[in-house]
Amino acid sequence: MKLRNQAFSICTLLILGISTSLASGSKQDLARSVSLVMPSVFHLEAKTSKGKAIGSGVVLREDGLALTAAHVVDKSSSLEATFSDGKRYSVEVVVKDSAKDYAILQIRGGRFKAATPGVAKRLDLGQDLFVIGSPKGLKFSVSKGIVSALRQNH
């Protein structure tokens, strides 16, 4: 249960906390921030009885503990993580919570660069942020946006 609570908190901090590195908002700051975070992000492919599902995830610890969305790994028979350097690793689900849509994964076969969590309390409405993911199979896509709302109950 402790791992589940930590996972939800880490997910919130990673997604929202990354924005703290975009202080001045220049293109150089964004590029530098993306290059620092990119080695901790992976493209995830899940083989299922109906074909495949794709998504992305983020490394939480150097030993390969990682976080992704539960809907990506639901009913998967095998999982594979691909990093931006092209290296591929097998993956196992450790914990999954479909109601909160997160899954903790274990990536096998290496040491990994863990993402550095931010502090959600330092976020402000309107603050710049970016997201790295694999929407519709577009691996390592970067989108820039703003903090549009803050949730007080987490």
Side-chain angles (χ1 to χ4, degrees):
M1 194 59 148
K2 184 178 178 183
L3 185 59
R4 287 176 190 249
N5 292 338
Q6 287 177 336
F8 188 77
S9 297
I10 289 170
C11 178
T12 302
L13 292 174
L14 283 171
I15 291 169
L16 297 176
I18 287 170
S19 67
T20 61
S21 62
L22 298 175
S24 72
S26 74
K27 288 181 183 179
Q28 293 80 15
D29 289 337
L30 176 61
R32 187 174 25 259
S33 296
V34 168
S35 69
L36 291 172
V37 174
M38 189 66 79
S40 302
V41 177
F42 55 91
H43 172 79
L44 184 63
E45 187 169 309
K47 293 182 182 172
T48 70
S49 61
K50 295 181 180 182
K52 69 178 180 176
I54 55 173
S56 56
V58 63
V59 176
L60 303 175
R61 293 191 326 213
E62 289 181 357
D63 66 358
L65 198 70
L67 179 70
T68 193
H71 70 267
V72 175
V73 300
D74 278 342
K75 301 176 185 165
S76 61
S77 58
S78 68
L79 297 166
E80 184 177 72
T82 304
F83 285 82
S84 59
D85 62 4
K87 292 182 181 175
R88 297 172 180 252
Y89 301 90
S90 65
V91 178
E92 295 175 11
V93 176
V94 177
V95 174
K96 180 176 71 168
D97 186 329
S98 296
K100 292 183 180 174
D101 196 27
Y102 75 84
I104 302 294
L105 309 175
Q106 182 64 58
I107 305 171
R108 302 281 180 206
R111 301 295 292 173
F112 305 93
K113 183 179 180 207
T116 303
V119 179
K121 289 180 182 178
R122 293 185 186 161
L123 293 176
D124 294 315
L125 287 175
Q127 185 174 349
D128 288 335
L129 58 81
F130 69 93
V131 178
I132 302 172
S134 297
K136 305 289 184 192
L138 189 58
K139 296 179 183 176
F140 308 108
S141 167
V142 178
S143 298
K144 182 179 175 191
I146 63 166
V147 176
S148 60
L150 296 172
R151 191 174 281 176
Q152 300 301 319
N153 59 348
H154 290 276

